[in-house]
């Protein structure tokens, strides 16, 4: 608040908290996922991440020069570039993440006045800009290094399950029936779990579950390591960088709709949609924890955040199951 009593633009932070501290904490929480993406996809993933972060910093520096303000040290440009890179396929040409990150910073963040005045998340804006401008390049998937040597398919599990159609056993069974490659680690872990822990309880874990949890699959650079994304989100929740209401409502509504209605389009009927599969595949975990919770563009009240997250979850379900694209979480947010 100014001496005259006017309220400045958000975000409004209290108790001595500062935007740079929050942004750098978020960057630190995303670095393990970025490292895992580079380990899975190699130099191509590292190049995409470097270009996205570099382009975001360049756009921020140019805008700061025009406004005669130095803003690189607040970490938000690095965070935006990192999120753009993590939401890209590892095989995408270099100019796509460069344009996406530059668009997010220049047009969405700085174009509307800088930090606290952007009308949508800059990283998501850049990702949507790239998806609309270069749709073919945004499907440049690469097979992970952890798949068998003879696995030539680079299709994501989400795309492969959609192409395979329905199955009485759900998406995991559809993948297995279509010959989708699974890692040897997945076979070993799932076999051990079923034999020693789950079978005595009358339960059975499907093939492919561990691959989705651990990120041993094709996909965007940062969407694969679900466990690392969740661990980073736990730190953000603990440090109160993000609030729990948006991701909880988003995941809850999406899982409910996917589990109850997700099998209907494939002809499997109700309650056969595979909620676990759809939560672990695609970019819903990355977007739900790290993008939908953007403090500038999300509601300030608790019930507002719940409604916001629930609406995103419902819209993500509609776009994924009834839209023209395989994934829809970015547009939903």
């Amino acid at each position: 608040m100014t001496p005259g009593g006017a309220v400045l633009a958000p975000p409004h932070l209290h108790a001595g908290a500062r935007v740079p501290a929050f942004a750098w904490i978020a960057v630190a929480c995303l670095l393990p996922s970025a490292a895992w993406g580079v380990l899975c996809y190699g130099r191509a993933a590292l190049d995409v991440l470097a270009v996205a972060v570099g382009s975001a910093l360049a756009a921020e520096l140019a805008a700061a020069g025009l406004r005669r303000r130095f803003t690189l040290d607040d970490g938000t440009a690095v965070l935006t570039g990192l999120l753009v890179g993590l939401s890209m396929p590892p095989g995408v040409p270099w100019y796509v993440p460069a344009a996406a990150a530059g668009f997010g910073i220049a047009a969405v963040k700085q174009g509307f006045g800088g930090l606290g005045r952007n009308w949508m998340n800059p990283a998501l804006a850049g990702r949507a800009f790239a998806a609309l401008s270069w749709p073919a390049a945004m499907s440049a998937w690469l097979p992970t290094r952890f798949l068998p040597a003879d696995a030539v398919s680079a299709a994501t599990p989400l795309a492969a399950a959609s192409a395979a159609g329905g199955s009485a056993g759900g998406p995991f069974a559809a993948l297995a029936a279509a010959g989708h490659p699974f890692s040897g680690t997945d076979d070993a872990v799932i076999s051990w779990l079923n034999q020693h822990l789950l079978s005595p309880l009358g339960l059975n874990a499907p093939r492919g579950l561990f691959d989705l949890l651990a990120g041993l699959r094709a996909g965007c650079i940062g969407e694969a390591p679900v466990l690392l994304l969740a661990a980073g989100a736990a730190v953000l929740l603990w440090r109160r960088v993000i609030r729990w209401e948006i991701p909880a409502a988003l995941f809850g509504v999406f899982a409910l709709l996917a589990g109850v209605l997700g099998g209907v389009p494939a002809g499997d009927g109700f309650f056969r949609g595979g909620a676990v599969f759809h939560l672990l595949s695609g970019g819903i975990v990355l977007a739900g924890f790290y993008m939908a919770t953007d403090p500038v563009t999300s509601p300030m009240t608790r019930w507002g955040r719940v409604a916001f997250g629930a609406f995103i979850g419902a819209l993500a379900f509609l776009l994924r199951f009834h839209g023209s694209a395989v994934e829809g979480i970015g547009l939903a947010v």
Side-chain angles (χ1 to χ4, degrees):
M1 182 174 291
T2 65
V7 178
L8 298 177
H12 303 132
L13 304 173
H14 306 282
R18 299 176 64 245
V19 170
F22 283 179
W24 288 116
I25 291 172
V27 169
C29 290
L30 283 169
L31 286 179
S33 298
W36 185 253
V38 173
L39 181 63
C40 286
Y41 305 114
R43 176 64 183 273
L46 181 61
D47 290 344
V48 170
L49 293 172
V51 167
V53 173
S55 179
L57 289 173
E60 183 82 4
L61 184 61
L66 292 174
R67 300 173 61 191
R68 297 183 180 180
R69 293 177 56 189
F70 183 78
T71 55
L72 289 182
D73 60 342
D74 64 17
T76 55
V78 175
L79 179 59
T80 296
L82 185 58
L83 284 171
V84 169
L86 290 172
S87 66
M88 292 279 159
V92 70
W94 67 269
Y95 56 84
V96 177
F103 177 84
I105 293 292
V108 178
K109 180 188 175 186
Q110 296 294 347
F112 284 82
L115 180 65
R117 295 177 174 87
N118 47 282
W119 63 279
M120 69 178 295
N121 183 281
L124 275 178
R127 213 278 180 187
F129 172 74
L132 294 173
S133 301
W134 300 282
M138 290 296 288
S139 299
W141 312 114
L142 296 178
T144 174
R145 293 175 173 179
F146 296 99
L147 289 180
D150 58 349
V152 296
S153 172
T156 67
L158 190 59
S162 177
S167 172
F172 284 109
L175 285 181
H180 186 75
F182 300 111
S183 70
T185 305
D186 179 89
D187 290 334
V189 171
I190 296 302
S191 177
W192 188 92
L193 285 176
N194 287 334
Q195 182 178 354
H196 294 89
L197 296 179
L198 299 180
S199 294
L201 301 176
L203 302 175
N204 184 68
R207 290 185 68 199
L209 177 60
F210 182 79
D211 279 353
L212 290 186
L213 283 170
L216 309 182
R217 57 177 170 89
C220 289
I221 296 170
E223 73 181 25
V226 174
L227 294 177
L228 292 177
L229 292 172
V235 174
L236 296 181
L237 289 167
W238 170 57
R239 295 296 302 271
R240 298 181 68 84
V241 176
I242 63 175
R243 301 299 182 93
W244 62 270
E245 294 92 347
I246 292 176
L250 193 163
F251 299 146
V253 169
F254 179 83
L256 177 65
L257 293 175
V260 176
L261 302 176
V264 176
D268 294 336
F270 295 102
F271 298 98
R272 295 186 179 274
V276 173
F277 172 85
H278 284 284
L279 276 176
L280 299 180
S281 58
I284 191 167
V285 174
L286 177 65
F289 279 130
Y290 296 92
M291 296 179 179
T293 54
D294 179 8
V296 179
T297 56
S298 58
M300 298 177 62
T301 66
R302 169 167 291 183
W303 288 109
R305 291 191 291 268
V306 171
F308 181 66
F311 184 75
I312 292 173
L315 189 56
F317 165 78
L318 290 176
L319 291 173
R320 178 178 289 194
F321 287 88
H322 299 282
S324 58
V326 175
E327 177 65 283
I329 182 61
L331 294 177
V333 177

